[in-house]
Amino acid sequence: MGTVSDAHNEESGKKVTVVFVLGGPGSGKGTQCANIVQHFGYTHLCAGDLLRAEIKSGSENGTMIQTIIKEGKIVPSEVTVGLLQQAMEECGNDKFLIDGFPRNIENREAWEAVTGIEPEFVLFFDCPEEEMLRRLLGRNQGREDDNIETIKKRFQVYMESSLPVIEYYDAKGKVRKIDAAKPVEDVFEDVKAAFNSITDKVAP
Ligand code: UDP
Ligand code: MG
């Protein structure tokens, strides 16, 4: 009782709603998630932020995570799924935006095996690489992976490993694709439409 997967269990009467927010590095996931939190009351869990917090905390996995992030590669699933699950359990909310995860098919399978939670839908921010590059180089958040060498590797990992996750959910009819190259406010209009299409089902 009390675990995330229990909460999802039909018999318990509670249902945890999860929306995966996917898209390349610099596609605007974090920016739009902040808007969604304000407007729709979700809790935003950014997998990358949880991993960066783990590095800062000085945990035993910290050095390994730091090396992987610097190389633009993907942290082992058990680490990321564990951090997400812990964050969900610690938080009283029942609606979560999971940003930047699952990043590969193995992440997705590990998530399903551990939590049993099927996402309500997948918000996919589609953005041309040149625009993502411009944003990443312009944002200056002091991130160790926002340099041109690491960015190139992140783009490659995204194309090779993360796009197949989007294709997997697309085949299940779960992807809401958003043109993320537009100005922030215009993108949010499209994002709102995607969320309203699920809330309309229950709203009066
Ligand atoms: N990362 C990972 N697994 C995840 C999420 C992030 O390994 O589920 C690592 C990966 O190395 C990635 C980095 O954390 O390049 C930064 O991720 P974040 O989502 O913060 O960056 P974004 O791609 O959204 O700019
Ligand atoms: Mg991000």
Side-chain angles (χ1 to χ4, degrees):
M1 288 291 276
T3 68
V4 165
S5 37
D6 284 342
H8 185 248
N9 193 318
E10 306 261 315
E11 284 166 44
S12 73
K14 285 188 275 175
K15 186 173 178 287
V16 172
T17 302
V18 164
V19 173
F20 287 146
V21 182
L22 299 177
S27 60
K29 303 184 292 291
T31 304
Q32 294 298 334
C33 281
N35 288 337
I36 299 163
V37 166
Q38 290 291 318
H39 211 272
F40 294 101
Y42 280 73
T43 292
H44 176 206
L45 298 178
C46 171
D49 285 351
L50 291 172
L51 291 168
R52 284 183 284 273
E54 193 67 2
I55 298 171
K56 275 214 186 106
S57 78
S59 90
E60 53 177 335
N61 282 327
T63 320
M64 176 268 288
I65 297 171
Q66 188 168 27
T67 307
I68 291 175
I69 288 183
K70 254 189 175 163
E71 291 173 350
K73 293 180 181 160
I74 297 168
V75 172
S77 297
E78 64 266 27
V79 174
T80 317
V81 173
L83 290 171
L84 286 167
Q85 199 181 26
Q86 192 187 343
M88 288 174 75
E89 280 165 12
E90 279 168 8
C91 161
N93 206 348
D94 60 355
K95 301 195 306 188
F96 299 93
L97 295 173
I98 299 198
D99 157 7
F101 177 93
R103 262 184 147 79
N104 60 15
I105 292 291
E106 200 235 313
N107 271 178
R108 196 208 68 76
E109 288 168 352
W111 165 270
E112 187 175 306
V114 172
T115 70
I117 299 173
E118 182 71 19
E120 193 73 25
F121 65 93
V122 174
L123 198 59
F124 167 40
F125 290 113
D126 188 29
C127 194
E129 203 168 284
E130 54 173 19
E131 174 63 14
M132 296 196 287
L133 180 63
R134 200 179 63 76
R135 293 177 185 176
L136 291 171
L137 293 176
R139 72 182 179 183
N140 236 326
Q141 292 174 340
R143 273 176 54 169
E144 279 190 301
D145 56 349
D146 281 351
N147 59 78
I148 190 70
E149 299 88 82
T150 310
I151 289 169
K152 280 184 185 158
K153 290 177 189 160
R154 287 159 70 197
F155 283 157
Q156 194 182 346
V157 168
Y158 170 66
M159 297 292 284
E160 287 175 6
S161 304
S162 309
L163 277 181
V165 176
I166 295 160
E167 284 159 9
Y168 170 89
Y169 285 115
D170 198 29
K172 297 181 121 196
K174 292 219 154 182
V175 172
R176 306 285 181 273
K177 181 170 155 178
I178 306 284
D179 175 2
K182 297 197 279 190
V184 174
E185 306 75 41
D186 297 357
V187 174
F188 190 52
E189 287 304 312
D190 296 346
V191 167
K192 274 193 281 193
F195 277 86
N196 282 329
S197 71
I198 67 156
T199 44
D200 281 353
K201 284 187 219 153
V202 286

